[in-house]
Amino acid sequence: MCVYRPFAVIKEPLDIVYTKESPDRLISMNCRARANPAPTYRWRRDNWEIKLMELPNEHYSLVGGNLIINNPEEKKHAGTYVCVAKNVYGTVISKEAKVKFGYLEEFPDEERDPVTVKEGQGAVLLCAPPKRWPTEVTFRWIYNEFPVFLHPDKRRFVSQSTGNLYISKVEASDAGNYSCYVFNPQIGKGVYSKFIPLISTEEKKRYKADLVVKFPDTTAMLNYNVTLECFALGNPAPHIVWRKIGATDLPASAQVSMSGALLHLYNVQYEDSAGYECEAINQKWQDWHQAWLYVEAAPEWAVTINNTQKDVGSEHTMSCVANGKPGPYIRWLKDGYSYGKGELKFSSLTFEDSGMYQCIAENYWGIIYASAELRVIACAPTFELNPVKKYLLGANNGRVVIECKPRAAPRPRFTWTKGKEVLFNNSRISIMFDGSLEILNATRNDEGVYTCLAENDRGKANSTGTLTITEATQITVAPEDTQVMVGEEVHLQCQASFDPSLDITFIWSLDFRVIDFYLEWKHYERIMDSGELKIMNVQLRHEGRYTCTAQTVVKGLPAPPGGVRVEEIRDTSVKLVWNRGADHGNPILGYTIQTRDVYALTEVDWRDASTCNDADVVDLYPWMEYEFRVYATNEFGDGGGRHPSMKIKTWDAGRDPAWGTIIIGCCKEILIITWTPVQPQYFYGKKFGYVVAFKPHDDVDWWYETISDPETRRYVHRDSSFRVKSNDFQVREFQVKVKTFNSKGDGPYSLSTTIYYPRDVPSESPTDVYSRPVSSHEALVWWIPVKYWRKYDDTEPGANRIFVPASMNQTRLENMLPDSHYLIEVRAYNGAGVGPPSEHCEMFTKRAPPSVAPQMWRYISYSGKWLYVWWHHISYDWFGNESFPLYYKVMFRKTGYITGPIYMTGWHFIDFPMPQVGDYELEVRGRYEGGDGPIRKIRLQGKASFLRPTLSLAAMLLLALCIVGLGI
């Protein structure tokens, strides 16, 4: 089939910072591709393939397309990862994702030297932070004791670039001990330095303003935030003023804080790129500093690639264009491997050119991928989408063209037949290059059934239509030149002669533009019983050359409207325009508009659109790609809508509706907030993300965290300062809410959700733990408000574990080994961890059932009415490894029918009635203390009854002994 199946990675892995303190002890990297057939997944680390399938690995495992790294180690697992998805049609790779191990080293143990300064002078206390990753940390200073933190003000400033503490003028109250506190929010760890004594001496003098914190030349990313720092020493404390060089005012998004020390620029744009100046002023002096802010941008697609199928041997060009600053570098991958750069040109496509192509645009700020499949096809001809017209009309003595346009690759050879006669080119009949049949000076003799046969090296197909020759349609009364005053009414006449077996319709045009009576009803009306045109309330714009065209048609369904296009685009609605198709002799009663979005893949995904004023489509999603099609309806039914419009994207809009579900978990010093992510069709714009807000229930201020990745579904907050207060009983109450945002603004917050932060792990262990074996592989455990392992053969760290809801006090342990000595331990747990263990409960699982089935004999009576069965039980060894037999289960049934089982013990001889001819099944299995044993099963053929002899019990026993050798 000449079809393609979209193939793209729809869930990409993200950069991860892993810490050794992580409670999960694993890294999960997501990858999911949309493809048919479903793809297989592989992963590469630093361009080396991870052997997930060939070799077992204690660290790596694959769940679906997701890569799981258990117990990560920095030397083995840090690096750059890509996901590779592959099926029979090609290979695509995901964007790169980096795994880095976060750390924050301790400050050195050496004592810090004291800083002595005179009152009124400025002071600088150096933080000298330790090595760390990520480098983005927050700096605070402790004054005298933890947790008394220094609050910056006009005199005191903490640089978030260096961590240093600056005091513009020292006062007597500043004397004390200071410690630099460094906190890394991504790994949830903080460290602090040794205390630095600050000693002040009395001598009050005035000092000139001296800028000691000066922001350097800075490069910011488009649509992101940037902060510039400036701080000065001096007495009196200097006042700081900010300016944008070459402008009278700061940008509208600018905000000054920390008594002038910080200039925040939010959502920076290219026009914010300029020189900025900070000036420090006091009564003794003024000092100033200038530096430049540059604005650059990550790549963003301007022109991308789409799935394409081309005939073998044809030409093709693939190109993509990306905007960004600095200008992005374009390169290509084919099936996951480097394939070139710039523009790809194919002069003659071959099957080897088929595959998945990825265009990659990258600069210093980022990298983006666009994927598309190129399918070079060679398929047998098919008329499924474009058959020969079933009924064709031709004018007597006129020119007739019968189109033949099958889908085929490579181009097929065409043969035409009329009935059983093969047609060849001559002076009147010719087969055109595209396969159409042309007949000149057609006559009644040319009527008949015509068949187009298309054939190439892949196969052949044909399609048939019937040609009818009618009398030519001729204009008998033509419109005449007319003069009329503005506002008057005028009638233009048009009549024609035509074949009485047909219907006729008149088409009017103004300066070669077809008049749409449906849209221009206020001024134009066509008299239905004739070709007369009535023009009402004539205006100057109605002046021009009017043309009347008489067209004969066969009555039927209306033709598809043509030229469907989108004229106006809004955020949730569009306006469509189309050309009316032929009504085929019956007035069009109305139009139906259908639409499908970018996530629709099949023909059945078209749905009727909500409309207003007929041509306006409403209730669309903002920032969503759509295509539209239109079909007409007359009294015969609905016509087709073959040709959809070009794809368009609605405008973006702010996030209005509330959404989602929040699920919160927690453990000691950690809050884990999980929510239902918003589907892409509800993003309503670019730059989509989430804002997570949380706070203790009794606090006023909320903590906010912005997450710019739209696929993120959880946020983990680690903070050692999140401790339960002493006046809390067991838990502390927190409130959490989440909202979304895009480039147009923020949406509303979700409803606040309350969680309870655990004070500590459970302090008491479960009591009265009791267990009972059920079989050789199972046991039941009870306790009062689980891990289990073999006492001598397993280690406790490798124990099996199960988790049971708090409302239950028993569970079933499964997959245990037979005839083994087990230890069972029960612990209570909550979000903070597990409590102390219970006393160990010891138990033995039962011995396993025998591995062989009972030996069985059977005999069918001469009459065919009875089946006699006997078997030996399995011998039992009290000192062996097999369990004691309890009873035997015998089943005898006719195929398709089941009789109840018979339970018997010991050596037995039983009989079953066999009243019917047919197939029977007989099975025997033992039930042992350790469970069911294996089954002995045989099939029997019931036989017809000829004689009905009467046998005594003794005779039957004698007969049975004679056929013991027949047993299995």
Side-chain angles (χ1 to χ4, degrees):
M1 292 292 291
C2 294
V3 297
Y4 73 84
R5 299 165 177 81
F7 190 1
V9 176
I10 59 175
K11 180 172 281 190
E12 307 265 13
L14 304 174
D15 292 343
I16 291 177
V17 176
Y18 177 79
T19 63
K20 294 180 180 179
E21 294 80 9
S22 172
D24 298 336
R25 297 296 297 162
L26 61 83
I27 294 173
S28 177
M29 307 188 74
N30 295 331
C31 181
R32 184 157 59 92
R34 179 182 61 214
N36 184 14
T40 58
Y41 296 91
R42 290 179 177 269
W43 284 80
R44 298 176 189 165
R45 171 179 173 260
D46 294 336
N47 293 325
W48 289 90
E49 184 171 327
I50 302 172
K51 302 296 183 180
L52 293 167
M53 306 298 181
E54 293 83 353
L55 298 173
N57 194 298
E58 61 177 331
H59 294 288
Y60 291 115
S61 58
L62 197 63
V63 179
N66 300 338
L67 178 66
I68 308 298
I69 308 176
N70 293 291
N71 299 315
E73 300 176 12
E74 185 169 6
K75 291 184 178 179
K76 291 183 179 180
H77 304 120
T80 302
Y81 289 77
V82 293
C83 171
V84 182
K86 180 179 180 181
N87 69 4
V88 295
Y89 295 107
T91 303
V92 294
I93 69 171
S94 69
K95 69 178 183 180
E96 295 178 349
K98 289 181 170 50
V99 172
K100 294 189 176 182
F101 282 67
Y103 65 92
L104 177 60
E105 295 184 357
E106 298 288 338
F107 278 93
D109 290 333
E110 291 82 6
E111 296 293 333
R112 295 291 192 100
D113 295 331
V115 175
T116 303
V117 64
K118 298 176 182 179
E119 290 184 23
Q121 279 187 326
V124 179
L125 303 186
L126 301 181
C127 178
K131 294 181 180 179
R132 61 202 181 270
W133 183 265
T135 57
E136 296 80 11
V137 295
T138 58
F139 296 97
R140 302 175 72 182
W141 282 79
I142 301 171
Y143 180 61
N144 284 334
E145 62 180 357
F146 182 85
V148 179
F149 288 99
L150 184 74
H151 294 287
D153 52 26
K154 185 176 181 179
R155 287 192 312 111
R156 298 173 295 188
F157 173 70
V158 178
S159 171
Q160 294 303 312
S161 299
T162 62
N164 297 340
L165 170 62
Y166 299 88
I167 305 176
S168 62
K169 65 165 187 174
V170 174
E171 298 178 353
S173 60
D174 294 326
N177 296 312
Y178 293 82
S179 173
C180 180
Y181 177 74
V182 183
F183 179 72
N184 191 322
Q186 291 199 45
I187 66 175
K189 181 179 179 182
V191 295
Y192 50 87
S193 69
K194 291 287 187 177
F195 280 97
I196 304 173
L198 177 64
I199 304 170
S200 65
T201 60
E202 288 191 29
E203 184 189 65
K204 294 186 179 180
K205 288 178 59 177
R206 294 184 175 231
Y207 297 92
K208 65 181 181 180
D210 180 20
L211 282 170
V212 291
V213 179
K214 303 175 182 180
F215 67 95
D217 287 343
T218 304
T219 301
M221 194 171 171
L222 184 71
N223 296 320
Y224 278 71
N225 306 331
V226 65
T227 299
L228 307 180
E229 295 182 342
C230 248
F231 189 76
L233 307 181
N235 186 17
H239 175 65
I240 296 177
V241 178
W242 289 88
R243 300 183 187 90
K244 179 181 179 182
I245 298 174
T248 56
D249 297 313
L250 290 173
S253 64
Q255 181 180 345
V256 178
S257 66
M258 296 295 293
S259 301
L262 300 180
L263 172 64
H264 305 281
L265 296 174
Y266 298 100
N267 193 28
V268 295
Q269 302 299 311
Y270 287 123
E271 55 267 24
D272 296 329
S273 180
Y276 287 82
E277 177 184 84
C278 67
E279 183 179 11
I281 306 170
N282 70 1
Q283 296 175 2
K284 293 287 293 181
W285 190 252
Q286 60 185 28
D287 193 8
W288 63 89
H289 167 70
Q290 293 181 354
W292 199 267
L293 174 67
Y294 302 92
V295 179
E296 296 184 350
E300 189 172 13
W301 290 121
V303 178
T304 186
I305 52 177
N306 296 304
N307 294 316
T308 306
Q309 58 181 19
K310 303 289 289 185
D311 293 351
V312 62
S314 62
E315 296 181 355
H316 184 53
T317 300
M318 299 180 73
S319 63
C320 55
V321 179
N323 297 325
K325 189 176 181 181
Y329 171 74
I330 303 292
R331 59 187 175 94
W332 292 84
L333 300 177
K334 181 192 175 201
D335 290 333
Y337 293 96
S338 180
Y339 196 71
K341 58 183 180 179
E343 187 177 67
L344 297 184
K345 291 186 177 182
F346 304 89
S347 57
S348 179
L349 288 170
T350 65
F351 293 118
E352 287 72 24
D353 295 321
S354 293
M356 291 301 305
Y357 288 79
Q358 291 180 277
C359 181
I360 303 175
E362 58 184 319
N363 65 9
Y364 173 80
W365 296 102
I367 181 171
I368 54 176
Y369 292 72
S371 303
E373 180 186 3
L374 173 62
R375 182 76 59 81
V376 180
I377 58 172
C379 60
T382 174
F383 288 92
E384 183 178 353
L385 298 178
N386 196 19
V388 173
K389 288 185 178 180
K390 200 167 186 179
Y391 301 103
L392 304 110
L393 297 178
N396 194 23
N397 296 321
R399 174 177 177 265
V400 176
V401 175
I402 308 176
E403 291 185 343
C404 179
K405 295 182 178 180
R407 183 73 181 96
R411 180 183 176 275
R413 300 176 298 276
F414 295 97
T415 303
W416 278 91
T417 63
K418 179 188 176 186
K420 296 183 179 181
E421 176 189 359
V422 180
L423 302 179
F424 298 97
N425 290 343
N426 56 40
S427 58
R428 278 198 330 113
I429 298 176
S430 60
I431 301 175
M432 305 170 71
F433 178 79
D434 65 354
S436 300
L437 180 68
E438 180 186 47
I439 304 174
L440 303 177
N441 301 321
T443 66
R444 296 278 185 182
N445 293 331
D446 294 317
E447 291 184 332
V449 177
Y450 288 80
T451 300
C452 175
L453 174 67
E455 182 177 7
N456 63 11
D457 58 358
R458 297 280 169 161
K460 57 186 176 181
N462 61 74
S463 184
T464 299
T466 301
L467 174 64
T468 301
I469 302 298
T470 63
E471 293 299 323
T473 302
Q474 296 180 341
I475 298 292
T476 56
V477 177
E480 299 178 349
D481 295 342
T482 304
Q483 291 185 350
V484 68
M485 299 294 291
V486 172
E488 293 183 350
E489 181 180 292
V490 65
H491 292 254
L492 299 180
Q493 301 296 324
C494 183
Q495 296 182 15
S497 62
F498 58 96
D499 192 293
S501 63
L502 303 175
D503 201 353
I504 190 169
T505 184
F506 293 90
I507 300 172
W508 283 89
S509 303
L510 170 59
D511 294 333
F512 305 104
R513 180 185 65 84
V514 176
I515 297 173
D516 191 329
F517 292 94
Y518 185 74
L519 297 178
E520 302 178 73
W521 59 272
K522 290 184 178 180
H523 295 282
Y524 293 107
E525 181 182 345
R526 180 172 52 192
I527 307 302
M528 299 305 297
D529 294 336
S530 66
E532 181 180 341
L533 173 66
K534 181 169 71 172
I535 308 175
M536 302 164 288
N537 190 19
V538 176
Q539 303 296 315
L540 292 176
R541 67 177 182 273
H542 297 142
E543 184 180 49
R545 182 183 181 86
Y546 285 82
T547 304
C548 173
T549 303
Q551 184 180 46
T552 51
V553 295
V554 177
K555 291 185 178 181
L557 296 173
V564 179
R565 64 189 185 277
V566 180
E567 192 171 73
E568 297 179 12
I569 302 176
R570 296 175 284 272
D571 55 357
T572 60
S573 62
V574 298
K575 182 177 182 180
L576 295 184
V577 176
W578 61 86
N579 299 324
R580 287 168 59 87
D583 59 14
H584 290 170
N586 289 274
I588 293 176
L589 302 177
Y591 292 91
T592 300
I593 301 174
Q594 292 187 315
T595 181
R596 65 179 179 184
D597 58 40
V598 68
Y599 297 99
L601 302 177
T602 63
E603 188 71 16
V604 298
D605 291 325
W606 285 100
R607 62 178 182 84
D608 290 348
S610 300
T611 59
C612 176
N613 298 328
D614 298 326
D616 287 341
V617 181
V618 297
D619 296 337
L620 302 177
Y621 293 127
W623 199 246
M624 178 61 65
E625 192 173 274
Y626 286 98
E627 59 182 338
F628 304 89
R629 70 180 183 184
V630 182
Y631 63 84
T633 302
N634 64 12
E635 65 178 13
F636 285 95
D638 298 332
R642 294 182 184 173
H643 306 293
S645 67
M646 293 182 63
K647 293 180 180 180
I648 60 96
K649 180 174 281 189
T650 51
W651 295 120
D652 50 356
R655 283 282 306 160
D656 290 331
W659 63 278
T661 302
I662 303 177
I663 305 172
I664 304 98
C666 54
C667 48
K668 198 170 183 180
E669 300 179 4
I670 294 178
L671 287 179
I672 303 174
I673 303 171
T674 306
W675 58 88
T676 303
V678 176
Q679 297 299 314
Q681 55 264 42
Y682 304 114
F683 285 178
Y684 290 6
K686 53 188 176 182
K687 309 296 183 186
F688 182 87
Y690 303 93
V691 175
V692 181
F694 52 96
K695 73 177 183 68
H697 180 70
D698 51 355
D699 283 5
V700 176
D701 297 330
W702 290 81
W703 291 40
Y704 298 94
E705 186 67 30
T706 300
I707 299 170
S708 58
D709 179 18
E711 295 184 1
T712 299
R713 61 180 61 222
R714 81 170 189 166
Y715 169 70
V716 179
H717 183 85
R718 299 179 177 89
D719 191 348
S720 57
S721 65
F722 261 32
R723 295 184 181 276
V724 180
K725 298 179 180 178
S726 59
N727 58 349
D728 293 330
F729 176 57
Q730 284 295 333
V731 294
R732 188 178 181 189
E733 195 172 312
F734 274 79
Q735 288 185 321
V736 180
K737 58 185 179 180
V738 182
K739 71 177 179 179
T740 59
F741 67 89
N742 60 20
S743 57
K744 288 291 185 178
D746 295 353
Y749 275 107
S750 64
L751 295 176
S752 294
T753 299
T754 301
I755 65 167
Y756 298 93
Y757 186 80
R759 181 172 186 173
D760 208 339
V761 300
S763 58
E764 296 184 7
S765 61
T767 59
D768 295 341
V769 179
Y770 169 71
S771 63
R772 177 176 66 82
V774 176
S775 68
S776 59
H777 299 279
E778 298 173 314
L780 288 176
V781 181
W782 292 266
W783 62 90
I784 298 179
V786 174
K787 64 187 180 183
Y788 55 98
W789 66 98
R790 290 182 295 173
K791 182 174 182 179
Y792 301 108
D793 301 297
D794 298 333
T795 60
E796 183 174 350
N800 298 289
R801 289 171 170 83
I802 62 172
F803 293 90
V804 181
S807 59
M808 297 179 61
N809 72 333
Q810 70 170 19
T811 187
R812 179 183 290 264
L813 308 181
E814 298 178 342
N815 300 319
M816 305 175 80
L817 296 177
D819 196 20
S820 297
H821 187 183
Y822 273 87
L823 295 179
I824 301 174
E825 172 187 292
V826 183
R827 295 171 181 249
Y829 76 95
N830 61 15
V834 295
S838 65
E839 293 184 1
H840 289 169
C841 173
E842 298 188 32
M843 60 151 284
F844 291 87
T845 53
K846 297 180 179 180
R847 286 183 284 183
S851 57
V852 297
Q855 191 175 19
M856 177 175 56
W857 293 268
R858 81 279 187 198
Y859 168 69
I860 300 175
S861 68
Y862 179 76
S863 64
K865 291 291 186 177
W866 294 88
L867 168 68
Y868 304 96
V869 182
W870 61 101
W871 66 91
H872 280 305
H873 69 269
I874 302 297
S875 61
Y876 176 70
D877 182 0
W878 287 100
F879 302 99
N881 296 322
E882 296 176 345
S883 57
F884 181 79
L886 301 177
Y887 53 83
Y888 294 93
K889 180 180 179 181
V890 185
M891 293 283 291
F892 176 62
R893 58 181 176 268
K894 190 176 188 294
T895 303
Y897 301 90
I898 299 177
T899 64
I902 297 176
Y903 300 97
M904 313 198 70
T905 59
W907 191 101
H908 277 279
F909 179 95
I910 63 174
D911 54 4
F912 291 96
M914 296 181 64
Q916 302 179 29
V917 176
D919 294 328
Y920 290 83
E921 289 182 353
L922 174 66
E923 64 180 45
V924 177
R925 75 186 306 175
R927 174 66 179 180
Y928 302 87
E929 189 180 28
D932 289 337
I935 300 175
R936 177 78 69 183
K937 180 185 294 187
I938 58 175
R939 293 183 179 272
L940 303 171
Q941 180 70 41
K943 55 187 179 180
S945 174
F946 295 99
L947 299 173
R948 296 175 179 255
T950 302
L951 296 178
S952 65
L953 178 60
M956 287 192 293
L957 289 173
L958 179 62
L959 181 62
L961 294 174
C962 293
I963 59 174
V964 168
L966 299 177
I968 58 173

